[in-house]
Amino acid sequence: MSNNADISRDKLLSDFKVVISDAEELLKLTAGQAGDKLGEVRNRLGDRMLAAKDRIADMEAAAVERAKKVAHATDDYVQKNPWQSVGIAAGVAFLLGLLAGRR
């Protein structure tokens, strides 16, 4: 998955958490209001917010699990190919040094 997709997903999750927080605050502020329709809407909104929170938690857990798999795969590669890993790291450091030196 690309870095832009990860950033977009993180931004979406962040925005969604803000919306949920605002909706929870709205529910608290209207808790004392009477009316069958308002109570029904509040209950529906509360149920949907709980479901949304569960989905966010699942998405975050999946992202953490993917990150762990990538870390383990990288660790396994480095363990199996230490000299190649050192060479790659040295090459990347050299290129970064060249780029930084041009500024």
Side-chain angles (χ1 to χ4, degrees):
M1 190 169 278
S2 72
N3 193 26
N4 288 338
D6 291 339
I7 292 170
S8 296
R9 184 179 53 239
D10 291 344
K11 175 75 171 124
L12 179 63
L13 282 173
S14 174
D15 291 348
F16 196 60
K17 285 179 182 180
V18 169
V19 169
I20 288 176
S21 176
D22 289 347
E24 285 176 332
E25 186 176 347
L26 180 63
L27 284 175
K28 288 177 186 173
L29 291 174
T30 60
Q33 302 292 320
D36 292 336
K37 280 282 197 191
L38 186 58
E40 181 182 320
V41 170
R42 251 194 337 265
N43 288 337
R44 251 191 351 245
L45 182 58
D47 292 343
R48 288 180 182 161
M49 283 189 338
L50 287 175
K53 282 182 176 181
D54 287 342
R55 281 189 222 122
I56 287 175
D58 291 344
M59 287 176 69
E60 289 176 332
V64 167
E65 188 61 33
R66 279 193 307 272
K68 285 181 182 179
K69 285 180 182 178
V70 168
H72 287 298
T74 303
D75 186 49
D76 288 344
Y77 179 82
V78 170
Q79 294 291 326
K80 291 177 184 173
N81 305 295
W83 290 111
Q84 269 186 320
S85 301
V86 169
I88 291 170
V92 170
F94 178 74
L95 290 174
L96 289 175
L98 284 177
L99 291 173
R102 290 186 177 187
R103 285 191 167 191

